[in-house]
């Protein structure tokens, strides 16, 4: 069965090659295609090598997160006055927020009830969080619950898929995301928690072999640099060509507004100068907009 399937797969690909090659040439994308192919030996090796987890660390983190969840559960019950309240239940959270408290429904689900996704809760928290602490508790509970059950507790399962080396082997693809970025699955190592009290604790669970180190490379704002080159937008171009006349590192607001796109947008939206900006309240939302718009944000 496997042989028959593999032969059909190879034959179909071979038949498609002339037609698809002609399309590539017509669109003048042959060089892009070759560039894409050149990444595959490295990506294949990434999948084979995998990433080493510190399983005792994750076991300890699981215990901590479970305790955090139990504490949040108790606080939610006290805040709502309801025993056994399930913060993961959209129906229960919607009934409490929009029924008991009478808060506004920003959007509705296909089923007709008020949406309680994280973006909605974040908006409600900004406007009503000081008056109703349960909103923040709902967000913290869901984030902690997801971290525990989606990531931490599943690490041993991913290791057991390939027990020969005790490592986690994700599947990487370059054709899954429309923006062209790398995608990962089983597990999605590119969706690790970035923010929150336990994000760094989670990252510390990935370790290097003896005699090796873990490194991270990031091409700084590469999409926005390409956009600046193609569009010649004066604000974008200035951000990447501005030369600060002061001693480095410079923390002057006037320079930050010229060279830092995220700080500049945060200043335009929130009216807060770069030196006073909070990373989570001001910079990250501006960063999401700066990257989101050229990537087709709705």
């Amino acid at each position: 069965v496997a042989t028959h399937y593999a032969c059909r797969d190879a034959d179909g690909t071979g038949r498609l090659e002339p037609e698809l090659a002609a399309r590539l040439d017509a669109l003048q994308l042959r060089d892009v295609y070759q560039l894409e192919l050149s990444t595959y030996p490295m990506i294949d090796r990434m999948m084979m090598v995998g990433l080493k987890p510190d399983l005792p660390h994750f076991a300890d983190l699981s215990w901590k997160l479970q305790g955090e969840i139990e504490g949040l559960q108790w606080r939610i019950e006290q805040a709502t006055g309801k025993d056994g309240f399930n913060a993961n239940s959209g129906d229960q959270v919607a009934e409490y927020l929009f029924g008991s408290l009478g808060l506004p429904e920003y959007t509705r689900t296909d089923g007709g009830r008020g949406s309680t996704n994280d973006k909605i809760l974040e908006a409600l928290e900004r406007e009503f969080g000081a008056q109703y602490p349960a909103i923040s508790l709902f967000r913290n509970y869901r984030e902690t619950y997801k971290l525990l059950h989606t990531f931490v507790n599943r690490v041993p399962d991913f290791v057991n898929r390939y027990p020969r080396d005790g490592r986690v082997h994700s599947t990487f693809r370059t054709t899954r995301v429309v923006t062209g970025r790398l995608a990962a699955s089983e597990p999605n190592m590119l969706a690790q928690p970035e923010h929150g009290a336990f994000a760094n604790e989670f990252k510390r669970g990935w370790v290097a072999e003896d005699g090796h180190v873990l490194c991270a490379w990031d091409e700084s704002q590469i999409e926005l640099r390409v956009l600046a080159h193609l569009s010649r937008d004066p604000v974008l171009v200035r951000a990447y060509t501005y030369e600060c006349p002061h001693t480095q590192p410079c923390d002057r607001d006037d320079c930050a507004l010229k060279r830092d796109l995220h700080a500049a947008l945060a200043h335009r939206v929130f009216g807060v100068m770069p030196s006073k900006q909070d990373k989570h309240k001001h910079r990250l939302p501006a960063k999401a907009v700066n990257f989101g718009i050229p990537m087709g944000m709705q």
Side-chain angles (χ1 to χ4, degrees), residues 265-273 277 282:
L265 183 62
H267 174 250
R268 291 178 64 186
V269 173
F270 299 107
V272 180
M273 294 300 287
Q277 289 175 10
H282 306 127

Side-chain angles (χ1 to χ4, degrees), residues 57-183:
H57 175 86
F58 280 116
D60 181 62
L61 181 56
S62 176
W63 179 80
K64 290 180 182 178
L65 289 171
Q66 188 59 51
E68 180 77 6
I69 288 173
E70 292 173 0
L72 287 168
Q73 178 66 38
W74 182 84
R75 293 169 63 189
I76 287 172
E77 292 175 355
Q78 296 299 306
T80 61
K82 299 180 181 181
D83 292 336
F85 190 98
N86 182 6
N88 282 325
S89 168
D91 290 336
Q92 290 189 34
V93 173
E95 171 58 31
Y96 176 75
L97 295 178
F98 311 128
S100 300
L101 300 184
L103 299 182
E105 298 179 3
Y106 294 131
T107 60
R108 285 179 169 265
T109 66
D110 292 338
R113 66 162 171 80
S115 174
T116 63
N117 63 36
D118 188 62
K119 289 185 178 180
I120 298 297
L121 291 182
E122 183 181 8
L124 290 171
E125 183 183 23
R126 281 198 303 267
E127 192 167 353
F128 305 102
Q131 186 178 359
Y132 302 111
I135 303 174
S136 298
L137 293 174
F138 293 156
R139 292 193 69 206
N140 290 338
Y141 182 93
R142 287 182 174 182
E143 182 178 287
T144 308
Y145 188 94
K146 179 181 179 181
L147 178 59
L148 175 64
H149 294 283
T150 303
F151 292 104
V152 174
N153 282 354
R154 296 194 66 194
V155 170
D157 296 332
F158 289 123
V159 170
N160 289 333
R161 291 186 177 188
Y162 305 95
R164 69 185 186 279
D165 60 4
R167 300 168 77 89
V168 174
H169 299 267
S170 291
T171 297
F172 292 100
R173 293 186 175 91
T174 63
T175 56
R176 183 62 59 89
V177 183
V178 295
T179 59
R181 286 196 165 197
L182 197 65

Side-chain angles (χ1 to χ4, degrees), residues 1-64:
V1 172
T3 301
H4 183 68
Y5 167 81
C7 288
R8 286 175 59 92
D9 211 29
D11 179 59
T13 304
R15 291 170 185 253
L16 285 170
E17 195 275 338
E19 179 179 340
L20 296 179
R23 293 190 195 179
L24 279 177
D25 292 334
L27 295 170
Q28 297 183 327
L29 291 175
R30 174 71 69 169
D31 290 344
V32 176
Y33 174 63
Q34 295 298 332
L35 181 65
E36 192 90 348
L37 287 184
S38 70
T39 67
Y40 274 75
M42 179 175 64
I43 293 172
D44 188 51
R45 178 149 180 78
M46 286 166 55
M47 292 192 287
M48 293 180 65
V49 171
L51 197 57
K52 182 179 181 180
D54 181 350
L55 292 179
H57 175 86
F58 280 116
D60 181 62
L61 181 56
S62 176
W63 179 80
K64 290 180 182 178

Side-chain angles (χ1 to χ4, degrees), residues 191-227:
Q192 296 184 56
E194 289 288 332
H195 314 293
F198 291 96
N200 286 332
E201 285 293 316
F202 180 82
K203 291 179 182 179
R204 290 191 186 100
W206 304 102
V207 296
E209 294 284 0
D210 291 340
H212 294 71
V213 294
L214 292 178
C215 299
W217 289 270
D218 180 16
E219 296 199 58
S220 175
Q221 302 180 2
I222 185 65
E223 292 91 351
L224 296 181
R225 291 175 185 270
V226 172
L227 184 63

Side-chain angles (χ1 to χ4, degrees), residues 225-258:
R225 291 175 185 270
V226 172
L227 184 63
H229 176 76
L230 295 175
S231 69
R232 297 297 176 185
D233 177 81
V235 176
L236 288 172
V237 171
R238 184 181 63 182
Y240 297 119
T241 57
Y242 177 73
E243 295 184 6
C244 174
H246 307 104
T247 303
Q248 300 298 326
C250 172
D251 57 0
R252 292 170 56 113
D253 281 330
D254 56 338
C255 285
L257 292 175
K258 295 175 183 176

